[in-house]
């Protein structure tokens, strides 16, 4: 299942760091962060609950970029 989330990130490098952090999160098959559109597209592993995984994604992203926001 793929879902798109609105994000708030300050620079392209930060977006890249967020993308890498999201990709490493358990339950995420793939993640793409687009700095220009301020959106994150996440594809979840089958049978996983997106809301629970996105809490982990947000925590991982805040470790690499404390100012970022993901609007769940």
């Amino acid at each position: 299942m793929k879902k798109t989330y609105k994000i708030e990130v300050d620079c392209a490098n930060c977006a890249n760091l967020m993308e890498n952090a999201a990709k490493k999160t358990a339950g995420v098959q793939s993640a793409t962060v687009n700095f220009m559109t301020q959106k994150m597209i996440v594809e979840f592993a089958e049978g996983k609950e997106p809301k629970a995984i996105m809490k982990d994604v947000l925590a991982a992203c805040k470790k690499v970029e404390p100012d970022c926001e993901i609007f769940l």
Side-chain angles (χ1 to χ4, degrees):
M1 170 192 321
K2 276 189 183 181
K3 289 193 130 202
T4 302
Y5 298 91
K6 183 172 177 5
I7 63 168
E8 189 176 294
V9 62
D10 297 333
C11 68
N13 185 52
C14 299
N16 189 43
L17 292 173
M18 286 178 65
E19 182 176 304
N20 290 335
K23 286 179 180 178
K24 294 177 184 175
T25 304
V28 174
Q29 279 190 318
S30 68
T32 306
V33 174
N34 187 316
F35 170 68
M36 296 302 288
T37 62
Q38 296 282 294
K39 292 192 177 177
M40 173 186 274
I41 300 170
V42 181
E43 185 173 356
F44 301 97
E46 195 168 320
K48 299 293 183 178
E49 176 57 43
K51 284 186 180 187
I53 294 170
M54 284 308 293
K55 287 181 182 179
D56 294 339
V57 169
L58 179 59
C61 288
K62 288 229 179 243
K63 284 182 184 174
V64 296
E65 184 49 49
D67 293 341
C68 75
E69 264 317 315
I70 301 173
F71 301 98
L72 307 175

